[in-house]
């Protein structure tokens, strides 16, 4: 990078984008990234006056950068409130460290942080759950989403913002195609809600047009400390293989990832329109949370392990 200069000002570059054939300095790279996120927000009308934005934070670089940017863009707006919500699943040696990062960041930004735990909400940590039924990612994914929706609604949030980046999004596009899961495919996009239900907090993904590597660089340049540890339960799987495949293709054919996202965004409105009668949402007969089934997935899983 030493000999690459910023295309705009000639200062030393911090990034060189292969598909673009240009380098950018810290200042111009940061401006571009912020502009891109603002564009995603504006184009999809993600934030409205009087919104209360609840940012789901994990201590990782994506959600920490998201909290930083939401605060930078909207922190001074008198009509918009921002809070952070973290879920402590109870994964020993992993989650407590990342929660510490979240605490430091929200303190630095002056944003209210709420931490909810599996232990307190469900009576068991994820470590205890997997001893009864070893499907860590199933339990974690379902119960996390359940708590994020329920708690952000109880906090009065009108938007639940998650740190999904462009790479996550493309991986999900591929995975849902590989699995033939049309309902999940339709739930992608910056503004993933297609079903309206008063108990569903509107989910938004402001970073979904920014590549993972660029978020990591932005975090580094702006002193956004993140926890880089890996969840001990993550062991390969389909997402891992799709991720490697996409990175390999991007390396060989720069710009491919952008093409995939752009193409998907052009198809999505038509797909959603065609499949609009897909899922009917009602309330779980056990806990009252919104679901497409008689008993929600969280209640079903909890019944499994509690007998
Ligand atoms: Zn520059
Ligand atoms: Zn339920």
């Amino acid at each position: 990078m030493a000999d690459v200069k910023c295309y705009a000002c000639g200062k030393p570059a911090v990034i060189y984008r292969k598909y673009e054939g240009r380098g950018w300095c810290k200042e111009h790279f940061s401006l571009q990234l912020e502009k891109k996120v603002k564009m995603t927000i504006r184009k999809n009308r993600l934030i409205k006056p009087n919104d209360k934005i609840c940012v789901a934070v994990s201590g990782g670089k994506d959600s920490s950068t998201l909290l930083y940017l939401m605060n930078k863009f909207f922190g001074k707006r008198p009509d918009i409130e921002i809070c952070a919500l973290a879920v402590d699943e109870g994964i020993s040696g992993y989650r407590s460290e990342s929660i510490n990062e979240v605490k430091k960041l929200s303190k630095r930004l002056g944003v209210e942080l709420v931490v909810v735990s599996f232990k307190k909400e469900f009576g068991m940590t994820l470590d205890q759950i997997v001893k009864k039924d070893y499907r860590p990612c199933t339990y974690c994914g379902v119960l996390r989403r359940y708590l994020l929706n329920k708690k952000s609604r109880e906090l009065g949030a009108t938007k639940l913002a998650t740190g999904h980046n462009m790479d996550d999004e493309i991986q999900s596009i591929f995975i849902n195609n590989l699995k033939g899961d049309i309902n999940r495919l339709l739930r992608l996009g910056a503004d993933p809600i297609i079903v309206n239900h008063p108990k569903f907090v509107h989910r938004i993904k402001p970073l979904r047009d920014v590549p993972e590597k660029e978020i990591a660089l932005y975090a580094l340049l702006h002193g956004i400390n993140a926890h880089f540890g890996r969840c001990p339960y993550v062991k390969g799987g389909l997402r891992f293989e799709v991720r490697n495949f996409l990175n390999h293709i991007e390396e060989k054919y720069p710009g491919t990832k952008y093409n995939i996202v752009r193409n998907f965004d052009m198809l999505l409105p038509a797909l959603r329109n065609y499949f609009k009668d897909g899922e009917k949402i009602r309330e779980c007969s056990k806990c009252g949370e919104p679901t497409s089934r008689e008993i929600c997935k969280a209640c079903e899983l909890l019944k499994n392990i509690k007998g």
Side-chain angles (χ1 to χ4, degrees):
M1 202 64 69
D3 48 342
V4 182
K5 300 267 183 280
C6 175
Y7 181 77
C9 71
K11 280 188 200 155
V14 293
I15 184 174
Y16 176 78
R17 291 200 194 100
K18 220 172 171 181
Y19 69 87
E20 207 181 37
R22 286 172 190 173
W24 304 97
C25 69
K26 175 184 172 179
E27 187 199 340
H28 285 105
F29 161 73
S30 301
L31 276 172
Q32 286 174 359
L33 187 143
E34 289 166 16
K35 218 168 127 186
K36 186 171 250 176
V37 177
K38 283 179 186 166
M39 188 74 142
T40 303
I41 293 172
R42 202 175 316 136
K43 202 172 66 191
N44 300 283
R45 297 187 190 91
L46 300 187
I47 308 290
K48 297 194 172 106
N50 304 313
D51 261 340
K52 176 164 181 175
I53 310 164
C54 180
V55 181
V57 286
S58 67
K61 62 181 174 8
D62 300 310
S63 59
S64 293
T65 302
L66 177 64
L67 183 63
Y68 177 91
L69 287 174
M70 290 294 105
N71 187 57
K72 183 167 186 169
F73 298 162
F74 303 106
K76 290 197 177 72
R77 283 261 302 260
D79 61 323
I80 290 182
E81 253 187 278
I82 300 169
C83 67
L85 176 61
V87 177
D88 182 353
E89 303 93 351
I91 305 171
S92 63
Y94 170 70
R95 192 46 95 203
S96 53
E97 285 175 47
S98 58
I99 298 271
N100 275 340
E101 288 298 341
V102 168
K103 283 184 180 158
K104 278 189 258 172
L105 180 67
S106 37
K107 204 173 161 197
R108 170 181 153 198
L109 301 175
V111 173
E112 180 203 3
L113 168 71
V114 176
V115 182
V116 291
S117 71
F118 277 17
K119 178 84 186 165
K120 190 153 170 272
E121 300 295 326
F122 306 123
M124 285 170 107
T125 63
L126 188 67
D127 288 342
Q128 291 169 325
I129 289 171
V130 297
K131 285 197 184 114
K132 302 217 169 196
D133 184 2
Y134 197 84
R135 287 186 288 158
C137 300
T138 302
Y139 280 91
C140 185
V142 170
L143 298 179
R144 247 181 83 79
R145 271 196 298 278
Y146 179 89
L147 279 187
L148 286 174
N149 183 65
K150 191 172 174 213
K151 291 297 157 180
S152 58
R153 188 181 71 235
E154 287 169 7
L155 288 167
T158 51
K159 299 285 158 66
L160 174 61
T162 60
H164 292 96
N165 60 49
M166 196 179 87
D167 290 78
D168 296 329
E169 186 83 348
I170 301 171
Q171 288 157 21
S172 297
I173 294 170
F174 270 75
I175 288 167
N176 292 323
N177 272 305
L178 294 172
K179 287 186 171 174
D181 192 335
I182 188 80
N183 281 324
R184 287 233 170 123
L185 191 69
L186 298 177
R187 274 189 238 133
L188 295 174
D191 181 18
I193 275 283
I194 48 161
V195 279
N196 275 313
H197 189 282
K199 282 192 168 179
F200 263 134
V201 179
H202 198 140
R203 298 251 305 263
I204 56 171
K205 294 187 278 187
L207 301 183
R208 65 82 78 176
D209 293 317
V210 185
E212 185 181 354
K213 273 187 189 163
E214 298 198 11
I215 295 174
L217 178 61
Y218 186 92
L220 187 75
L221 294 172
H222 293 267
I224 304 165
N225 291 323
H227 178 63
F228 283 94
R230 245 171 79 105
C231 173
Y233 293 118
V234 172
K235 298 244 162 48
L238 184 57
R239 185 169 287 272
F240 180 76
E241 290 194 45
V242 167
R243 183 194 151 118
N244 284 347
F245 164 76
L246 288 166
N247 285 342
H248 173 73
I249 296 289
E250 177 68 30
E251 188 59 36
K252 234 176 148 179
Y253 307 99
T256 301
K257 287 182 183 175
Y258 275 104
N259 292 340
I260 297 168
V261 171
R262 210 180 306 128
N263 191 53
F264 180 72
D265 284 352
M266 282 194 282
L267 285 170
L268 190 60
L271 284 173
R272 281 184 176 173
N273 192 42
Y274 186 81
F275 292 102
K276 64 185 166 219
D277 303 321
E279 282 183 299
K280 290 273 174 286
I281 298 298
R282 49 172 151 176
E283 289 178 14
C284 169
S285 60
K286 271 192 89 175
C287 71
E289 287 301 301
T291 174
S292 58
R293 318 136 62 106
E294 166 73 23
I295 290 179
C296 77
K297 190 82 187 161
C299 284
E300 187 196 296
L301 285 176
L302 290 169
K303 191 171 166 260
N304 243 348
I305 44 165
K306 287 180 178 170

